[in-house]
């Protein structure tokens, strides 16, 4: 679904799963500084939007998601995962309940599979699931933004900013409203996500990722509840074991022209190009202050002070998930 904001001057489309919204509008670092300073807005209208209504919506979701949902207050933002039977991450939902409806946005293109799974689990519960992607666009306002929220729009407010569930028909007018500041591309948003160590499904995850590896315990997984698919794995690793991998933040060599793409293998710098594979880059970005940075998954036993290399690019690590 192509965003109307791609018609703005300087707009260049994002790539891959993020195609359909602007990657940038001609000045990546200016856009980053704007977002970091609390001005502007980010078009996230390519993300899927799913709603759940009905009297049992919270108690029902409580049984399916990793998060404690049964007593979620209206207006309180949260995030939750859906796991496989083996505890591997399948979906991440970014949620808020407005008192009558649970609104969630999810990774682009995943809403059909999510809705199908939720529908298969309804049984006798009074809950209605709807794919609202066609008529609802997600727009992000950064922390510190004083831009107004249109009346009747659901808002998900976190320390990182506010996500608005805006009628898609109103998206184009947002760029003309001076109160919202300049449009900011997705590359700037992603650079700040990497800086903030925030994982993303499909980027920091693969087919065997468990929540512990990414630091999602606590923020997206509530350890004092059960009754959800994959809970046995979560409890076993939390109480008896250690995750096989851990998320790290990388400072990349700024003299390199190209960023290592997702999947680039990481090795010890002293081992050379034929050394043992220790992990892989998950997301890389150019930051307006830090330079080239990345998130990566490495084996748990990689020393926290080890000097790494990603296809010839030196990488110094910072711990995100403790080994």
């Amino acid at each position: 679904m192509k965003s109307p904001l791609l018609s703005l001057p300087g707009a260049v489309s994002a790539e891959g799963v993020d195609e359909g919204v602007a990657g940038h509008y001609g000045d990546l670092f200016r856009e980053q500084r704007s977002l970091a300073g609390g001005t502007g807005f980010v078009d996230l209208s390519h993300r899927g939007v799913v709603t759940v209504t009905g009297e049992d919506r919270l108690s029902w979701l409580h049984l399916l998601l990793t998060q404690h949902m049964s007593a979620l207050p209206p207006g309180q933002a949260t995030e939750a995962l859906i796991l496989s039977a083996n505890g591997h991450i399948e979906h991440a939902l970014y949620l808020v309940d407005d008192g009558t409806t649970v609104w969630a946005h999810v990774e682009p293109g995943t809403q059909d599979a999510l809705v199908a799974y939720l529908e298969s689990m309804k049984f006798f519960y009074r809950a209605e699931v709807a794919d609202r992607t066609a008529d609802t666009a997600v727009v992000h306002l950064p922390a510190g933004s004083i831009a107004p929220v249109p009346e009747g729009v659901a808002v998900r407010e976190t320390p990182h900013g506010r996500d608005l569930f805006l009628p898609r028909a109103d998206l184009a007018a947002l760029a003309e409203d001076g109160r919202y500041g300049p449009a900011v591309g997705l590359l700037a948003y992603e650079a700040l996500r990497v800086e903030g160590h925030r994982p993303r499904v499909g980027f920091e995850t693969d087919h065997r990722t468990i929540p512990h590896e990414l630091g999602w315990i606590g923020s997206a997984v509530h350890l004092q509840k059960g009754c959800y698919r994959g809970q046995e794995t979560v409890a076993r690793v939390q109480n008896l074991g250690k995750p096989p991998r851990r998320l790290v933040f990388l400072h990349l060599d700024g003299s390199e022209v190209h960023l290592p793409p997702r999947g680039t293998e990481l090795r010890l710098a002293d081992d050379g190009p034929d050394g043992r594979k220790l992990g892989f880059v998950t997301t890389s970005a150019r930051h307006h202050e830090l330079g080239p940075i990345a998130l990566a998954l490495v084996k748990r036993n990689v020393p926290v002070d080890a000097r790494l290399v990603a296809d010839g690019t030196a990488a110094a690590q910072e711990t995100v998930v403790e080994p």
Side-chain angles (χ1 to χ4, degrees):
M1 194 173 295
K2 185 176 179 180
S3 170
L5 299 188
L6 280 172
S7 63
L8 291 177
V12 176
S13 178
E15 299 178 346
V17 297
D18 292 323
E19 186 177 4
V21 297
H24 64 85
Y25 294 91
D27 194 337
L28 174 61
F29 290 153
R30 179 190 61 79
E31 293 168 33
Q32 279 190 38
R33 287 190 290 269
S34 174
L35 205 61
T39 61
F41 68 95
V42 184
D43 177 10
L44 300 179
S45 62
H46 63 315
R47 292 185 64 81
V49 177
V50 175
T51 59
V52 182
T53 56
E55 187 175 341
D56 295 336
R57 66 188 183 282
L58 292 177
S59 58
W60 174 62
L61 288 173
H62 185 82
L63 301 176
L64 304 178
L65 305 182
T66 58
Q67 188 57 271
H68 199 293
M69 295 291 297
S70 59
L72 183 68
Q76 179 175 309
T78 192
E79 55 190 74
L81 307 175
I82 289 179
L83 307 179
S84 72
N86 292 323
H88 301 140
I89 298 169
E90 293 187 347
H91 296 278
L93 293 78
Y94 300 87
L95 303 137
V96 69
D97 182 77
D98 67 5
T100 60
T101 302
V102 173
W103 294 82
H105 64 82
V106 297
E107 289 298 322
T110 65
Q111 61 271 17
D112 289 347
L114 174 61
V115 169
Y117 170 69
L118 294 177
E119 287 286 356
S120 73
M121 301 299 291
K122 280 175 56 174
F123 305 116
F124 56 83
Y125 289 95
R126 293 165 293 182
E128 297 298 326
V129 181
D131 179 359
R132 298 290 302 275
T133 310
D135 59 46
T136 305
V138 180
V139 172
H140 176 77
L141 302 178
S145 171
I146 59 172
V149 175
E151 186 176 353
V153 169
V155 182
R156 182 179 176 274
E157 186 164 2
T158 74
H160 313 296
R162 291 175 289 170
D163 297 334
L164 312 185
F165 293 88
L166 190 74
R168 190 170 289 273
D170 297 343
L171 184 59
L174 204 69
E176 302 172 2
D177 191 331
R179 296 174 297 175
Y180 291 89
V184 173
L186 193 69
L187 289 178
Y189 178 84
E190 284 288 280
L192 298 187
R193 177 181 71 81
V194 173
E195 178 194 18
H197 307 164
R198 300 194 300 276
R200 183 178 171 189
V201 167
F203 289 72
E204 280 61 59
T205 67
D206 57 19
H207 66 284
R208 58 192 180 96
T209 307
I210 61 175
H212 307 73
E213 296 177 320
L214 302 183
W216 253 327
I217 300 298
S219 62
V221 178
H222 197 289
L223 293 176
Q224 303 306 315
K225 60 156 286 189
C227 302
Y228 60 87
R229 190 173 67 178
Q231 186 263 341
E232 295 84 358
T233 297
V234 170
R236 184 168 62 251
V237 173
Q238 184 69 21
N239 296 321
L240 301 176
K242 297 177 181 178
R245 302 176 298 181
R246 59 186 179 88
L247 186 69
V248 298
F249 176 79
L250 301 178
H251 291 274
L252 302 174
D253 181 2
S255 65
E256 297 291 335
V257 175
H258 301 291
L259 290 172
R262 184 183 190 276
T264 301
E265 295 180 350
L266 289 168
R267 293 177 168 83
L268 286 178
D270 296 335
D271 287 353
D274 297 324
R276 183 167 58 98
K277 177 185 174 183
L278 302 176
F280 64 95
V281 172
T282 59
T283 306
S284 58
R286 297 192 186 278
H287 191 274
H288 69 288
E289 291 181 340
L290 301 176
I293 57 177
L295 292 174
L297 273 178
V298 299
K299 294 180 178 180
R300 176 177 54 82
N301 59 1
V302 172
V304 296
D305 58 351
R307 295 185 302 115
L308 305 177
V309 63
D311 192 24
T313 300
Q317 58 172 316
E318 288 184 10
T319 301
V320 177
V321 174
E322 294 288 342

